[in-house]
Amino acid sequence: MCGIVGAVAQRDVAEILVDGLHRLEYRGYDSAGVAVLSPEHELQIVRRVGKVKALDEALEQSPILGGTGIAHTRWATHGEPSEVNAHPHRSGKIAVVHNGIIENYEELRTELQQRGYVFQSQTDTEVIAHLVEWEFRTTQDLLKAVQKAVVQLRGAYGTVVLNQDQPEHLVVARSGSPLVIGLGMGENFLASDPLALLSVTRRFIYLEEGDVAEITRRTVDIFDRDGAKVEREVHEGNFESDAADKGQYRHYMQKEIFEQPVAIMNTLEGRIVNGKVNLEAISMNAEEILKKVEHIQIVACGTSYNAGMVARYWLESIAGVACDVEIASEFRYRKFVTRPNSLLVTISQSGETADTLAALRLAKESGFMGAMTICNVASSSLVRESDFAFMTRAGVEVGVASTKAFTTQLTCLLLLTAAVGRLKGNLSEEQEHDIVQSLQRLPAQIESALVADKMIEKLSEDFAEKHHSLFLGRGEFYPIAMESALKLKEISYIHAEAYAAGELKHGPLALIDSDMPVIVVAPENDLLEKVKSNIEEVRARGGQMYVFADHDAGFNDQEGFKTIIFPKVDEVTAPIFYTVPLQLLSYHVALIKGTDVDQPRNLAKSVTVE
């Protein structure tokens, strides 16, 4: 995802801006650029294709001085990766950086061309630059020009504007794409992620939806979507490292659980346009490959494997494309048959998982039509060696037990499912629109799930003396049960197993007694009555039940039967939703057990050896 950094200071800021871009490299990008006002108020712009290192080298050869500037890393959506398409974009004395997608850019582009503007790039962002320049002609005030411009924009944007005629001023606007202001002493900063500013400040203001702010060295003035001046809370951060910040949270894992609404919003940013999945935001050649797909082979390990298992249900039932999922360490060591027009999809948080990387390299020699990776680290080997990458944009995940990486992987996989279904003619425009609307509702729904934290903390006390547990689910909730069992065993060291609920009578029922907690995911759907029959099988044998469900499922607390009830969510996104309260259960049980939540024994964040 694109990254933004800005600064207004008395000192030269180019180094600060580029350092911030380095800190945002995890987001994924293909070009980088910086614009700085010189002491003589001349606009200096340097842009390079590739890594931030290339921008570094250019600035070393030709340093630029000045105390007001903006910088950007771009992930190509409109227009190929090139210097001319890289940000910042310029219109006269105006320079702009932008995250997101302007949906009505073609309409605005035509209007601006009729006014005499000449476009240099293929991007939607250049529309913002020219539009602000046009409004500035009549207002002669950058803040007012931006306020008048943004009401004409439709889509998502986090944008920062610099004006050559108003030095020591930046104006920022947020709609659907996060921006944060960093407060300094006699200087102020801004970024799309506070991580970018950790070398210069620990005090942050998070802009809210629709906010427009004017930033100078000594002032920050914020206006809401109606133009009224407002105050936003200043957050003090006690950061322990530059990689991540626990802030108010006790553990990184807890923080990362609570970051999931924002993480999923970041995953969705720019990927949905006019109710459809924007394939250009995945890759310039994604549509060409996905049109030909007749089979998808998913290869992954651990949590990522569980994400792939959920995706198999989606890809076959929604997109109508055959899908197989295999553990990478098994796939790479067996003789397999590559199906015609089969796409290999690898999934990995780090992009360096040894077995998954080896499977990718093996697949390249085995007749697959292409290789795609779903990954969180743009500079990783999987991303570099795959034909195209779908970045999860989960942000830095420090906790060894994956949380937001998993839910953002599922978000990517559901977007992929909708895109493939449409391209194969198995999904109508209306059905695709319903799926993307469900995804857009998901962050707010997960916020409601997080409200249950205290209730789940109380529930976890029942597990204080337990050493074994079972997780049950049917359909796409079976792999959610697998992931939940994995979380519990990873961080609490309780032996946990997951079963497809219909398999109980084929062996696992022998384990059921009053000392074996059984956790069931059972929202209302077509399989609910089957799940209820499985629940009765457990209750008849004295098992202690913990059922995670919605109001429509019709469960009530009884002796030996506890329910955790949530609002009804859309069926297609329910597997992602129910992951979150089950993560909270594992977290609170681990606290009771007194384990090292963030660094559980014997485990590493990235498994880079076989």
Side-chain angles (χ1 to χ4, degrees), residues 403-419:
T403 52
K404 62 180 181 176
F406 178 70
T407 51
T408 54
Q409 285 171 353
L410 289 177
T411 302
C412 286
L413 287 161
L414 187 50
L415 286 170
L416 176 66
T417 297

Side-chain angles (χ1 to χ4, degrees), residues 505-562:
K505 60 177 64 68
H506 297 281
L509 272 176
L511 298 172
I512 300 300
D513 59 25
S514 59
D515 198 42
M516 173 72 80
V518 179
I519 301 94
V520 187
V521 194
E524 194 276 328
N525 61 20
D526 290 344
L527 293 174
L528 178 61
E529 293 307 315
K530 298 292 184 183
V531 175
K532 286 183 174 180
S533 297
N534 301 138
I535 289 171
E536 290 306 314
E537 293 170 351
V538 174
R539 293 188 65 200
R541 289 155 179 84
Q544 175 65 55
M545 302 294 305
Y546 299 87
V547 179
F548 289 69
D550 55 44
H551 293 289
D552 294 350
F555 293 107
N556 295 294
D557 282 357
Q558 303 172 40
E559 181 67 29
F561 189 99
K562 293 188 178 182

Side-chain angles (χ1 to χ4, degrees), residues 181-185 187-189 200-205 220 234:
I181 297 170
L183 304 178
M185 299 293 291
E187 56 186 11
N188 288 309
F189 308 91
V200 290
T201 186
R202 296 295 192 275
R203 300 174 64 230
F204 299 102
I205 297 172
V220 174
V234 177

Side-chain angles (χ1 to χ4, degrees), residues 462-609:
D462 291 2
F463 291 73
E465 302 301 324
K466 303 300 182 184
H467 301 284
H468 307 278
S469 62
L470 291 179
F471 287 78
L472 303 178
R474 273 187 179 263
E476 59 266 47
F477 292 100
Y478 168 43
I480 297 303
M482 293 167 58
E483 172 62 14
S484 302
L486 176 60
K487 283 293 152 288
L488 190 65
K489 70 180 75 169
E490 279 181 316
I491 63 171
S492 75
Y493 313 151
I494 291 178
H495 173 234
E497 296 296 335
Y499 287 91
E503 282 292 292
L504 273 176
K505 60 177 64 68
H506 297 281
L509 272 176
L511 298 172
I512 300 300
D513 59 25
S514 59
D515 198 42
M516 173 72 80
V518 179
I519 301 94
V520 187
V521 194
E524 194 276 328
N525 61 20
D526 290 344
L527 293 174
L528 178 61
E529 293 307 315
K530 298 292 184 183
V531 175
K532 286 183 174 180
S533 297
N534 301 138
I535 289 171
E536 290 306 314
E537 293 170 351
V538 174
R539 293 188 65 200
R541 289 155 179 84
Q544 175 65 55
M545 302 294 305
Y546 299 87
V547 179
F548 289 69
D550 55 44
H551 293 289
D552 294 350
F555 293 107
N556 295 294
D557 282 357
Q558 303 172 40
E559 181 67 29
F561 189 99
K562 293 188 178 182
T563 59
I564 305 88
I565 303 299
F566 296 94
K568 180 72 174 177
V569 298
D570 296 331
E571 186 172 336
V572 71
T573 51
I576 310 175
F577 174 87
Y578 279 94
T579 296
V580 176
L582 289 162
Q583 291 170 346
L584 287 171
L585 177 64
S586 296
Y587 172 74
H588 287 299
V589 172
L591 291 186
I592 291 172
K593 291 289 190 179
T595 61
D596 188 338
V597 172
D598 286 330
Q599 295 182 317
R601 67 191 183 197
N602 306 329
L603 300 178
K605 184 64 181 170
S606 179
V607 183
T608 57
V609 295

Side-chain angles (χ1 to χ4, degrees), residues 267-279:
T267 304
L268 295 175
E269 183 186 344
R271 268 79 184 264
I272 296 171
V273 176
N274 297 326
K276 294 182 179 181
V277 179
N278 177 20
L279 286 169

